[in-house]
Amino acid sequence: MIRTSIATVVRGLALAGLLAAGQAHADALAQLKQFMDGTRTARGSFTQQVLSKSGRKPQQASGTFAFSRPGKFRWVYEKPYAQLLVGDGSKLWAFDQELNQVTTKKLGQALGNTPAAILAGDNSLDKNFVLKDAGDADGLEWVEATPKSDDSSFERIRMGFAGGQLKAMVLHDNFGQTTSLQFGQIERNPSLDAGLFRFVPPKGADVVGE
């Protein structure tokens, strides 16, 4: 979603620069692999900014998350509105507390074409995404993931790493909207209560969906 380029000036510096860039790029994919192979559960915090195609004032949000791979996650929006997303391995539940409304649908293959696949999916990213190095920017090394499926709601997803930790994601959807996520310190492989990934609609809530 974010593009970077490397310009060469003189041959000697260009060669050194390309070698250094090549090492950084390799590190980005290596860090993605390390994160996916070495993280079965995780929890942390996030801040989110959504910028529309029209360039209106960005929408800000923040909250916490947890996941247990494969397929289980809990995404909690605390500000500015209380919302909850829970993936229980077979269904996705979305609860809007203010509206007291629950929306549910089967995860199915759709999970492989959403950001949840990066965090909570299995290790087979190559099945659903074309992965490539995307250079370094803002102190992070980036990997770009382009969905292989034409029916994905995202054009591409960028993931920024530093020191083996996932620090940021930038998502570009098919409507020209950009969602930027900054992650707080992610705790990898903690013991998580299975109840985090179960959802029972509150009494009186309006339930919509499958």
Side-chain angles (χ1 to χ4, degrees):
M1 304 181 184
I2 300 172
R3 293 163 291 277
T4 61
S5 61
I6 298 175
T8 58
V9 181
V10 295
R11 185 168 63 180
L13 290 177
L15 178 59
L18 287 172
L19 288 173
Q23 180 63 47
H25 291 176
D27 286 347
L29 280 177
Q31 288 185 71
L32 172 62
K33 178 175 174 55
Q34 179 188 47
F35 181 81
M36 296 302 294
D37 289 349
T39 307
R40 306 310 306 171
T41 64
R43 61 187 168 198
S45 61
F46 69 89
T47 58
Q48 176 180 297
Q49 177 177 277
V50 179
L51 182 64
S52 67
K53 186 177 182 179
S54 65
R56 291 179 307 206
K57 183 179 179 180
Q59 301 173 22
Q60 308 284 345
S62 61
T64 61
F65 70 90
F67 67 81
S68 178
R69 300 171 55 211
K72 296 181 179 181
F73 57 92
R74 184 181 186 89
W75 195 273
V76 183
Y77 286 98
E78 298 171 347
K79 298 179 180 180
Y81 307 108
Q83 292 183 309
L84 172 65
L85 301 176
V86 176
D88 64 10
S90 60
K91 286 187 176 183
L92 171 64
W93 302 86
F95 176 48
D96 188 309
Q97 184 172 315
E98 184 177 2
L99 298 177
N100 198 26
Q101 183 180 74
V102 176
T103 302
T104 182
K105 61 181 177 180
K106 294 179 181 178
L107 285 177
Q109 296 300 316
L111 179 64
N113 295 316
T114 67
I118 301 297
L119 295 179
D122 59 24
N123 287 354
S124 304
L125 288 180
D126 288 345
K127 290 182 179 179
N128 300 303
F129 297 93
V130 175
L131 302 173
K132 69 176 183 179
D133 297 306
D136 59 300
D138 303 320
L140 301 178
E141 295 169 355
W142 294 86
V143 174
E144 184 171 283
T146 304
K148 292 181 179 181
S149 173
D150 293 334
D151 60 5
S152 172
S153 59
F154 293 94
E155 289 185 352
R156 60 196 186 282
I157 301 171
R158 287 173 57 91
M159 294 158 282
F161 290 87
Q165 288 278 16
L166 178 64
K167 297 291 187 179
M169 293 179 72
V170 182
L171 313 130
H172 292 264
D173 66 23
N174 293 327
F175 302 100
Q177 182 171 269
T178 302
T179 301
S180 299
L181 293 163
Q182 300 291 327
F183 296 106
Q185 185 65 34
I186 297 178
E187 182 183 359
R188 296 171 66 179
N189 299 315
S191 177
L192 298 177
D193 187 340
L196 288 173
F197 312 111
R198 290 194 292 265
F199 182 82
V200 177
K203 186 175 181 179
D206 182 23
V207 181
V208 179
E210 300 173 358

